Amino acid sequence: MLNKLQNDPVTISSYKNQWRPAVIFSLLAIMMASVFFSRILLSVTMIVFVIFSVSHQQIRKQVSVFFSSPLLWSMSLLFFLPLISGLWSGDLNEWLETIRIKAPLLAMPFAFAVPFGLSKKQWQSLAFLFVAFVVIATFWSAGHYILEAKEVNENYLRSQLLITPLENDHVRFSWMIAISILVTAWLWLEKKKENNKSNWLLLVFSIWQIIFLHILAARTGLLAFYLMALIAAIGFIIKKWRSGTGIFFLLALLLLPLIAYFSLPTFQNRVKYFLYDLPYFSKGHYSPAMNDAVRIISLEAGWEVMYEHPFFGVGFGDVMYETKKWDANNYPGMQEADKILPSGEWLIYGDGCGWPGLILFASVMIIPFFISIKKNKWVWVLLNASMILTFLFDIGLEIQFGVFLYSFILLWWWKLGRE
């Protein structure tokens, strides 16, 4: 372990103490668990983790690593752009709330600039804990479905999804499941190399998570899963000696939605609702409680706001105000509950800071693909591809859970690929 630390760009003598990696490991594990149990515990643990990560005498070297690592400083731009926009934001209370939520986008990258010194076994244990937490959470959610199956199935015809952890945030939870499936696949391959007998359990976890993802039928998670699976299949086909595996994956991807449709009532009703809602959003018509139509209108509003303020945007404090104003002018009968932020993180940054904000956000999303990762490159590519897709139709960086999951998971796999 000491040799590993000595090769790190930042060699902090105090990190040679065996207790420091143990504390880092414990804090990472607690943060994972906190997502499912308590927002307060999550916030406190992140603060403790950041403080602990900067509690040493060689802070200058940590700063040097931060600024020499494109992933770390580029991620911090997602905090600094909203921060700077306070200069032209009218609603300072809304702006301050945005800054509070996005603070981890600066603090977490800086904390990850120090060497952790975790062993291979510890990294695998963290991955297994993550998968275990997600699997247990899916069991909890599935239990609600079993107890009220008829009511839940009917609710899916009204676009009301199954109760989930993360305070019923099915968007972020479904994305977590998709990432957990990816992590499970990585663990399975790692254990296979070691001829570990726990492989069968990981296979069961993977199959269950795929099934539950279709039971939940939240589009964010499904799109992330199918995108990653498609890229993996193409990758296998390109490598000619694995073309059979790739073709099998492609066939499975085609059959899986059909099997889910005819075997899972929630998935079938979700598809039926989508087809019912399709005429509204395809024609741009507004109707109360039509979720997809409302999302399309919000994207249209976001685009128009950015078009009207191309150079600096309206400031992150005024994105909601300007969106609502556009809704009122173009859809005067729209209910207040249906007036939402533009349903895409790309447009949020475009509205807040104009075209420069949109371009910088796109750059932050693309930079990871050009970062040198020594290990697990395939996981890195699939992970970042899923994030790009997710942020096209989701505003995960506007809520605490989304900010944490994005920063924590991305930095986790960046660190794992380097140590």
Side-chain angles (χ1 to χ4, degrees):
M1 182 180 292
L2 296 183
N3 291 333
K4 187 186 296 182
L5 290 175
Q6 290 166 356
N7 293 330
D8 195 280
V10 178
T11 304
I12 300 172
S13 59
S14 61
Y15 269 76
K16 295 179 180 180
N17 297 317
Q18 295 296 318
W19 61 270
R20 292 193 68 94
V23 173
I24 290 289
F25 175 86
S26 299
L27 289 172
L28 293 174
I30 294 171
M31 280 191 283
M32 286 182 181
S34 300
V35 175
F36 300 98
F37 298 113
S38 170
R39 282 180 181 267
I40 296 176
L41 181 60
L42 176 60
S43 297
V44 171
T45 309
M46 277 197 289
I47 292 171
V48 173
F49 171 71
V50 172
I51 293 174
F52 184 80
S53 298
V54 300
S55 299
H56 53 80
Q57 296 178 349
Q58 300 188 34
I59 194 70
R60 290 184 179 180
K61 290 186 177 180
Q62 185 172 355
V63 173
S64 176
V65 170
F66 176 81
F67 283 107
S68 64
S69 302
L71 178 74
L72 303 184
W73 61 255
S74 67
M75 186 181 291
S76 71
L77 292 177
L78 300 181
F79 169 79
F80 282 114
L81 285 174
L83 178 67
I84 295 170
S85 77
L87 295 173
W88 57 89
S89 292
D91 190 336
L92 292 182
N93 289 329
E94 187 70 22
W95 171 76
L96 284 172
E97 178 65 12
T98 299
I99 296 305
R100 183 190 68 81
I101 292 173
K102 294 183 186 294
L105 295 173
L106 172 63
M108 291 289 279
F110 191 76
F112 271 76
V114 297
F116 287 178
L118 300 184
S119 65
K120 179 180 179 181
K121 184 176 180 180
Q122 285 175 312
W123 283 118
Q124 289 183 356
S125 297
L126 279 175
F128 189 84
L129 280 174
F130 177 76
V131 172
F133 286 139
V134 173
V135 169
I136 292 171
T138 60
F139 287 158
W140 177 84
S141 191
H144 285 272
Y145 179 50
I146 293 172
L147 293 174
E148 302 175 350
K150 183 178 179 180
E151 181 180 353
V152 171
N153 291 336
E154 292 175 353
N155 285 340
Y156 267 72
L157 291 172
R158 297 186 288 270
S159 193
Q160 298 176 14
L161 273 58
L162 180 63
I163 294 175
T164 69
L166 279 66
E167 299 181 4
N168 207 29
D169 187 343
H170 59 268
V171 175
R172 257 58 63 181
F173 183 57
S174 68
W175 183 73
M176 278 187 74
I177 297 172
I179 299 304
S180 181
I181 294 170
L182 175 63
V183 175
T184 307
W186 174 78
L187 269 175
W188 186 84
L189 291 173
E190 291 293 304
K191 296 299 182 181
K192 185 178 180 182
K193 296 175 185 176
E194 302 168 2
N195 294 318
N196 194 301
K197 294 182 180 179
S198 65
N199 258 7
W200 68 269
L201 181 61
L202 293 170
L203 184 61
V204 171
F205 281 175
S206 182
I207 294 173
W208 162 247
Q209 289 177 107
I210 293 173
I211 293 173
F212 182 82
L213 190 61
H214 288 80
I215 293 175
L216 181 59
R219 281 168 299 188
T220 299
L222 287 172
L223 287 172
F225 166 72
Y226 278 102
L227 175 67
M228 292 188 293
L230 178 62
I231 294 174
I234 294 173
F236 282 129
I237 292 174
I238 292 175
K239 295 181 178 181
K240 296 181 181 179
W241 61 91
R242 294 182 179 178
S243 59
T245 304
I247 293 172
F248 172 79
F249 271 21
L250 285 177
L251 291 175
L253 288 178
L254 292 174
L255 291 175
L256 199 54
L258 293 175
I259 295 173
Y261 183 83
F262 289 106
S263 61
L264 302 174
T266 54
F267 186 85
Q268 183 179 109
N269 288 350
R270 184 70 166 155
V271 173
K272 288 179 179 179
Y273 179 84
F274 173 77
L275 295 176
Y276 169 73
D277 199 15
L278 182 61
Y280 289 95
F281 76 81
S282 63
K283 297 177 181 179
H285 293 167
Y286 167 72
S287 181
M290 293 290 101
N291 291 355
D292 292 320
V294 169
R295 285 175 177 271
I296 294 300
I297 291 171
S298 76
L299 291 173
E300 183 183 358
W303 177 261
E304 291 298 328
V305 169
M306 186 175 66
Y307 180 80
E308 293 172 4
H309 304 83
F311 299 112
F312 296 100
V314 299
F316 273 74
D318 292 353
V319 174
M320 187 74 257
Y321 171 79
E322 292 294 336
T323 302
K324 286 185 175 182
K325 186 170 74 172
W326 186 91
D327 289 337
N329 291 334
N330 293 272
Y331 294 91
M334 178 178 283
Q335 296 181 4
E336 192 65 22
D338 289 336
K339 296 177 181 179
I340 60 176
L341 285 168
S343 297
E345 202 61 57
W346 295 62
L347 274 179
I348 293 288
Y349 276 80
D351 288 349
C353 293
W355 278 100
L358 178 64
I359 293 171
L360 284 173
F361 183 85
S363 300
V364 173
M365 293 293 105
I366 295 172
I367 282 175
F369 293 99
F370 297 95
I371 292 175
S372 176
I373 298 294
K374 298 178 182 178
K375 298 176 291 185
N376 311 309
K377 292 182 180 179
W378 64 277
V379 177
W380 183 249
V381 170
L382 297 181
L383 177 63
N384 281 281
S386 75
M387 288 181 172
I388 287 179
L389 177 67
T390 298
F391 287 142
L392 281 174
F393 308 103
D394 179 49
I395 54 172
L397 299 185
E398 307 310 308
I399 61 172
Q400 182 190 22
F401 287 138
V403 169
F404 170 74
L405 290 173
Y406 165 71
S407 57
F408 179 85
I409 293 176
L410 189 60
L411 291 168
W412 166 22
W413 284 95
W414 173 78
K415 199 72 171 177
L416 177 57
R418 291 168 60 88
E419 288 199 347

